[in-house]
Amino acid sequence: MSKIVVVAALALLISLVALGNITDYGTNFAFVRHVLAMDTIFPDSGIHYRAITSPLLQHGAYVLIIAVQVATAALCWAGVWRMWRRRHTPAALFQRSKGLAVMGLSTGLSLWLVGFMAIGGEWFGMWMSSQWNGIETSFRFVALLLGALIYLGQREAESE
């Protein structure tokens, strides 16, 4: 049951993040716009050529982020449902029910590790911004998702 609860808690968290990005689009879009525009990184940095200032591309990137968040949440919820249905089955069957949850957690891990930390943090220099820096928040998501993946990957012992 604890594995189901952990995945459900993360599904809820990511659902709320996606909902916030959808319902408060403008406020949260400002973060993406500033990171991509690189307008708050060190002025003498040599990576300003990487900036994306096209509003169309900025909105496209933000919509992609939201879509991945929604997909992550949906996969996690589907995984919760599948694990819930098999919670009283033999351990091997329950183990096989984890696939969608693993896909969801892995998708979220990819978003926050690759999308935010690698691309946002390193490629766009988000780490240099004192105002638009999501590295700490991204790291929390990465740690939570990775911890859940490790925990979920542990095999169940057969009931006696």
Side-chain angles (χ1 to χ4, degrees), residues 6-18:
V6 166
V7 177
L10 285 167
L12 176 62
L13 174 61
I14 295 165
S15 295
L16 293 174
V17 169

Side-chain angles (χ1 to χ4, degrees), residues 55-120:
L56 182 63
L57 293 176
Q58 292 172 342
H59 282 283
Y62 188 45
V63 168
L64 178 61
I65 289 167
I66 294 169
V68 173
Q69 290 170 344
V70 169
T72 298
L75 285 165
C76 286
W77 284 121
V80 165
W81 176 245
R82 191 173 278 178
M83 289 187 301
W84 177 262
R85 287 189 0 231
R86 291 198 179 162
R87 70 190 181 281
H88 297 300
T89 63
L93 284 176
F94 182 77
Q95 184 69 27
R96 286 195 295 257
S97 74
K98 297 176 185 179
L100 288 174
V102 169
M103 286 174 47
L105 296 171
S106 298
T107 302
L109 182 65
S110 297
L111 174 63
W112 276 282
L113 181 57
V114 176
F116 284 95
M117 293 183 78
I119 295 172

Side-chain angles (χ1 to χ4, degrees), residues 25-155:
Y25 186 94
T27 300
N28 295 309
F29 172 69
F31 173 85
V32 173
R33 182 174 56 79
H34 284 289
V35 169
L36 294 178
M38 301 173 72
D39 55 2
T40 61
I41 67 168
F42 303 155
D44 58 345
S45 173
I47 64 169
H48 282 279
Y49 71 91
R50 300 174 183 171
I52 296 175
T53 57
S54 163
L56 182 63
L57 293 176
Q58 292 172 342
H59 282 283
Y62 188 45
V63 168
L64 178 61
I65 289 167
I66 294 169
V68 173
Q69 290 170 344
V70 169
T72 298
L75 285 165
C76 286
W77 284 121
V80 165
W81 176 245
R82 191 173 278 178
M83 289 187 301
W84 177 262
R85 287 189 0 231
R86 291 198 179 162
R87 70 190 181 281
H88 297 300
T89 63
L93 284 176
F94 182 77
Q95 184 69 27
R96 286 195 295 257
S97 74
K98 297 176 185 179
L100 288 174
V102 169
M103 286 174 47
L105 296 171
S106 298
T107 302
L109 182 65
S110 297
L111 174 63
W112 276 282
L113 181 57
V114 176
F116 284 95
M117 293 183 78
I119 295 172
E122 292 303 319
W123 182 258
F124 290 105
M126 181 172 60
W127 66 271
M128 291 184 242
S129 176
S130 60
Q131 185 177 4
W132 302 101
N133 187 337
I135 297 294
E136 285 184 35
T137 301
S138 297
F139 181 78
R140 280 194 302 269
F141 275 95
V142 168
L144 287 167
L145 293 163
L146 186 56
L149 273 168
I150 291 168
Y151 180 50
L152 194 61
Q154 294 176 352
R155 295 198 174 273

